[in-house]
Amino acid sequence: MDSSKNKNSEQETGVAGRRSFLGKGAALGLAGAALGLTACKEDGNKAKPAAAAGAAPKSHGTEVAPGQLDDYYAFISSGHSGEARILGLPSGRTLKRIPVFNIDCMVGWGITNESKAIMGTNPDGTLKYTTGDTHHVHGSYKDGTYDGRWLFINDKIHARVARIRMDTMEVDKITQLPNVMGFHGIFPDKRDPVDQKINYTTRVFCGAEFHIPLPNDGHDVDDPSKWGALFSCVSAETMEVMWQCRVDGNMDLVATSYDGKLAASNQYNTENAADLNGMMAAERDACVFFNIERIERLVKEGKYTTIGNSKVPVVDGRKAANGDPKTAVTCYVPVGKNPHGVNASPDGKYFVCSGKLSPTATIIELTRVLQWFEGSLKTERDAVVGEPEIGLGPLHTAFDGRGNAYTSLFLDSQCVKWNVDAAIAQFKGDKTAKVIIEKMDVHYQPGHNYSSMGETKEADGKYLNSGNKFSKDRFLPVGPLHVETEQLIDISGDKMKLIADHTAYSEPHDGIIVRRDVVKTRQIYTMTDFPNHVTPDNAGIERKGNKVNVRLMSQAPAYSMPVIKVKKGDEVTITLTNHDKVEDLTHGLALPTYNVNFIVNPQETKSVTFKADHAGVFWMYCTHFCHALHLEMRSRFIVEA
C-alpha cells in the first residue's frame, strides 16, 4: 500500500496523532506524580490497531435479529448519575436504567413513600441525599457462580451500599456505613467464611478509600496521624453492618476467594500520609488480605472497640497490631506502587493486582497467603508468584477461563492479553516464557474491563468489554462533555476481535456480564406482597383531622375514582394499586404542580404523601401508555380553598 495514502489517512482521522497525544500527555502527568515511570518491554509484540477512528468496525455476530434475545446481561455501574444500567450483549442495547441513589420520576424513585423509606430521609420527610456515585456492581453467588438473587452496588460519595433484587431489578435495601468516607471497592463473599456448609453469599465486603478522623466529629482535624480507614462487612441477608476492621492505607477495590476464607483490597498510601508527596514516599504499596474467620472470632470474644456513636464492632487490622502471623487478622502483601484493581482468577488460585504507576501486574497465590497466616511463609512478599511487565498504566484484569488474563492499559490505550502460567514461569526464571500474547488498541484510555462470567468459576471466554474513559473523535460531538465508549471484544478465538463499540453516558465504571439463563425475573407482582394494597373493600377516601388517605385502584383505562376532593392545608396520602394482571401493563400517576409522578406495575402498590398547599382543579393522569384510551385515563383532583 502507498505510504503516502497511509499518512493522509492518519491526518484525516487523527488517530495516530490523538493516540500519541493522549498517551504521552497522560504518561507525563502520572510520571510527575510517580517521579518517573518504568518503560515496558513488549518482547517484540507489536500493538495491533483495533479500528480507525473514522471507520465502523465490521460486525462479528453482534446483530440480534428481530424476535431474538441477547445471550448475556451486562450490569454496569454508572458513576455520578447514581444509578445502575442493564445492557443486552452482544447487541449492546440498553435494557433498563435502575435508579439507586438518584431520583427517577419515571418510576417514582425518590418520590414515592416506599422508595424514600429505602433511600433514607430527614426528620421532615425529605431525602437525606439526592446525589450518588456508583462505581462497582457485583452479583451474589452459589457454588462459585452467580445465583441470580441479588446485585450489590456502592455509593462512593455518601458511603452507602445498595442491594438490587434481580427478580424485579429494583433496589430493596440501602445501608450507610458508619465512620467511612470514599467507599469505593465492594465484593460479596462466594461462600460463608466460617461455616463451609453454606455455599452461597452471606456477606458483602466494603473498602473505604479516604482517611478521616475516627470519629469524624470535628476533633483531630489537623492531626492526620489519628486518621484512619475502615474495611466493613455487611450481612447480605439483613444488610446490617456486622463489623469493621481498621487498616493502614487507602483501600481501592475488593476481591474474595472461592473458599470464602479471604477477602482482599489493593491499597495505595500505605504511608498513611495526608498529601501527595507523603503518599509517594514508599517504594511499594500493598494488597491487604483479611482473615475473615479470625476477625469474627475476635468480635465474638468481645475483643473489639467501637467508634463514636456507632455500635458496630471495630477490630484493629493495622500492621503494627498484627506482627504475629499466627494471630494476625490482616496480611499486607507488597505490590507495585499505587496499585489499581484486584481480581480473582476463575480457578480460585490467584489474585491479580495491577500496578498503575508500575507497568506490571502482581500475581498473588492464595494458598501462600494462608501459609503466611499459619506462620509457615517467611515474608508476605513470598506470596507473590509472578510480576510480568505488561504495559503502561495497567488498571483492571479480566479472565477467559483458559488461563489468560486481559488487563486494561490506561496510558497505552490498549487491552493486553497475557498468560498467567507463563508469567509465573518467567518469575521463576524461565527466560523463554512468552507472557504477552497480544495487544489491542481501544479508544481511548480504558478503565475497567470485564469478561463474560469472568468473575465466576464459569468464565466462558466469549466476550470482553472495555470501558473507555475518553471517546474524542469516535462519535458526533454534543458539546464540551463527550460521551464515553464501551467496546465489545470477541475473545473466543486465538486473536482478539473488536466487534462493536457503543456510546455510554458519563461515567460508567465496573460491570459484570451474566448469562441470560442465570437471570429469572418476575413479570407480575403478587398483590398481597404489599401490606397497603388497595382492594374494592378498602378503596375510597378516609379523613382523620387534616390527614387524608386516598386509596385508589387502577385498571386500564381508568382510576377507581373519577373525582377526588380534599381541602387546602390537608396532608394527603395517595395509595395506588394496579389491578391489571397482564404482563407489561403498567400504569402511571402524575399530579400537576404537586411534584408527583410514579408508575405501578401489574399488581403493585405505591404511595405518595404531600401537603395540599394550593387550591384548584388538577387533572391526575396516567403517564405510562396502557390502553387505546390511555389519554382518557384521568381523575379530577380538587383542592378546595
Side-chain angles (χ1 to χ4, degrees), residues 383-400:
V384 174
V385 295
E387 203 160 48
E389 291 188 358
I390 57 174
L392 295 180
L395 296 184
H396 301 282
T397 300
F399 302 90
D400 62 10

Side-chain angles (χ1 to χ4, degrees), residues 82 99-103 119 130-132 134 153-155 160-162 174:
V100 183
F101 305 111
N102 58 315
I103 296 173
M119 296 177 76
T130 58
T131 56
T134 60
I153 190 168
N154 73 309
D155 172 23
R160 293 177 291 176
V161 54
I174 293 178

